[in-house]
Amino acid sequence: MVSYKELGLVNTREMFKKAVAGGYAIPAFNFNNMEQLQAIIQASAETKSPVILQVSKGARNYANQTLLRYMAEGAVEYAKELGWEHPQIVLHLDHGDSFELCKSCVDMGFSSVMIDASALPYEENIALTKKVVDYAHQYDVTVEAELGVLAGVEDEVSAEESHYTRPEEVIDFATRTGCDSLAISIGTSHGAYKFKPEQCTRDPKTGRLVPPPLAFDVLHEVEKKLPGFPIVLHGSSSVPQEYVDIINAHGGKLPDAVGIPEEQLREAAKSAVCKINIDSDSRLAMTAAVRKVFDEKPGEFDPRKYLGPARDEMKKLYMHKIINVLGSDGKAE
Ligand code: G3H
Ligand code: 13P
Ligand code: ZN
């Protein structure tokens, strides 16, 4: 048993309280490898932004859970080395799907876990979430739960259709489970294809898809029922069209990829939404940079020469999200 406190990590409790009161959101960035982690820490240290490092089940399988945990521990020291005196870094399990997985993360030094039982019937979601909360709280590890179902497909996370969160359920759910934050479904979804073309209109000038707006009415209803309670948005990548264009111009094929407009996320961050999950945008930044190098310099075979530019591009992206979308810069001085 390792406590996250010994690793210099923090849980989400204070962070979320301040974010809800301050009208900003904490970035939750997924990481699977060293370059992504370096870029996240560089951007967070430079902007003095609190940050949540997210590890999915897929990331654990890809990179090895022990290695990821030590990388997060190293990230705290790296942040200090970069001049961030008091780094506020959370190590969070993203989309935990069983009690055993959540327990294993708590036991190995995670400071926060998500139990995603949103696909189960309501009472089963409550029972499993409560079981995780009861265990995690013994070690002061915070727990995110989910109500409502996001559409979209990821390696380990999939749902054909979305079902908006039902505001009439949230008080009962939060009270009976004791969860610390709640992920809700208001129209976001995972991946780079968040909406089908038939759900969108097209900008006549650019020909690009314009997605339907998020269900802010559902968000406001939830906020009314649970004033000040930390709300989380998954599936919040914006799918920057400049990356899609670079990828497509250098041999890729991402037709009609579309995300959540950043103004809507900025709007959400001013409300009780205090954690915004971004993974796909970092994948796009990395892929765009790597494809460009491969296309322009076909003789290049030193990984540092293509992963280095990818890291720089991801850092730029993370800084932009922190400063211009989430508003979390300077909140962890
Ligand atoms: O919510 C899903 C995250 O983007 C993680 O995706 O399961 O492919 O690692 P993954
Ligand atoms: P995106 O696919 O929109 O980046 O969402 C990531 C996410 O929700 C991770 O849990
Ligand atoms: Zn997610």
Side-chain angles (χ1 to χ4, degrees), residues 18-288:
K18 286 191 198 154
V20 174
Y24 61 92
I26 312 291
F29 298 132
N30 290 69
F31 83 103
N32 294 264
N33 60 40
M34 183 187 75
E35 283 77 9
Q36 268 179 319
L37 183 61
Q38 287 174 316
I40 296 169
I41 296 301
Q42 288 169 11
S44 308
E46 220 161 284
T47 55
K48 303 277 191 296
S49 166
V51 70
I52 297 172
L53 301 174
Q54 300 204 131
V55 171
S56 69
K57 189 175 168 185
R60 277 171 53 114
N61 292 341
Y62 173 78
N64 179 277
Q65 52 165 335
T66 308
L67 199 49
L68 288 173
R69 199 274 275 168
Y70 279 98
M71 284 169 77
E73 185 179 354
V76 175
E77 295 312 310
Y78 179 46
K80 289 184 191 159
E81 219 176 277
L82 291 173
W84 191 8
E85 226 177 305
H86 303 292
Q88 285 182 29
I89 301 175
V90 172
L91 179 61
H92 173 78
L93 169 67
D94 191 24
H95 293 285
D97 60 357
S98 67
F99 171 77
E100 291 69 28
L101 176 57
C102 293
K103 177 181 182 300
S104 139
C105 288
V106 170
D107 292 351
M108 73 184 306
F110 281 55
S111 57
S112 173
V113 292
M114 175 188 194
I115 175 69
D116 180 357
S118 59
L120 296 181
Y122 183 70
E123 288 297 329
E124 288 175 42
N125 185 352
I126 290 191
L128 180 52
T129 301
K130 181 167 167 26
K131 190 174 174 191
V132 171
V133 169
D134 287 346
Y135 184 77
H137 280 186
Q138 292 177 65
Y139 305 99
D140 206 18
V141 169
T142 39
V143 179
E144 175 183 326
E146 181 165 331
L147 249 191
V149 178
L150 273 67
V153 180
E154 290 274 340
D155 292 353
E156 304 271 352
V157 185
S158 73
E160 279 297 304
E161 271 181 72
S162 82
H163 304 279
Y164 289 165
T165 302
R166 293 152 56 97
E168 60 274 24
E169 289 178 347
V170 297
I171 298 179
D172 181 61
F173 186 86
T175 315
R176 286 173 61 198
T177 61
C179 65
D180 301 281
S181 59
L182 185 63
I184 62 167
S185 172
I186 57 166
T188 63
S189 63
H190 294 105
Y193 294 91
K194 299 197 186 294
F195 303 97
K196 298 190 184 89
E198 55 270 28
Q199 295 175 283
C200 304
T201 52
R202 252 182 222 279
D203 182 325
K205 277 195 211 120
T206 58
R208 300 217 197 260
L209 294 178
V210 180
L214 295 179
F216 278 98
D217 52 333
V218 174
L219 171 60
H220 296 320
E221 276 303 301
V222 169
E223 278 188 289
K224 258 194 244 158
K225 302 268 183 200
L226 290 175
F229 194 81
I231 301 299
V232 176
L233 285 189
H234 281 250
S236 296
S237 277
S238 295
V239 187
Q241 292 300 303
E242 55 274 30
Y243 292 143
V244 174
D245 288 346
I246 295 172
I247 291 169
N248 289 340
H250 295 281
K253 215 179 227 179
L254 293 178
D256 284 340
V258 62
I260 311 295
E262 288 185 338
E263 317 80 71
Q264 290 185 39
L265 295 170
R266 181 76 209 100
E267 191 54 40
K270 289 182 190 155
S271 71
V273 169
C274 62
K275 171 174 180 271
I276 291 190
N277 287 12
I278 297 170
D279 186 6
S280 297
D281 283 356
S282 157
R283 298 178 180 194
L284 290 166
M286 187 171 211
T287 303

Side-chain angles (χ1 to χ4, degrees), residues 286-322:
M286 187 171 211
T287 303
V290 169
R291 274 199 177 276
K292 190 161 183 291
V293 175
F294 282 169
D295 195 21
E296 290 173 355
K297 299 178 187 164
E300 193 53 76
F301 69 99
D302 178 344
R304 293 169 298 187
K305 297 284 165 49
Y306 50 87
L307 294 179
R311 183 173 60 195
D312 293 344
E313 202 52 59
M314 288 189 285
K315 179 184 172 189
K316 230 164 68 185
L317 170 88
Y318 295 134
M319 301 227 358
H320 164 69
K321 298 285 179 186
I322 287 170

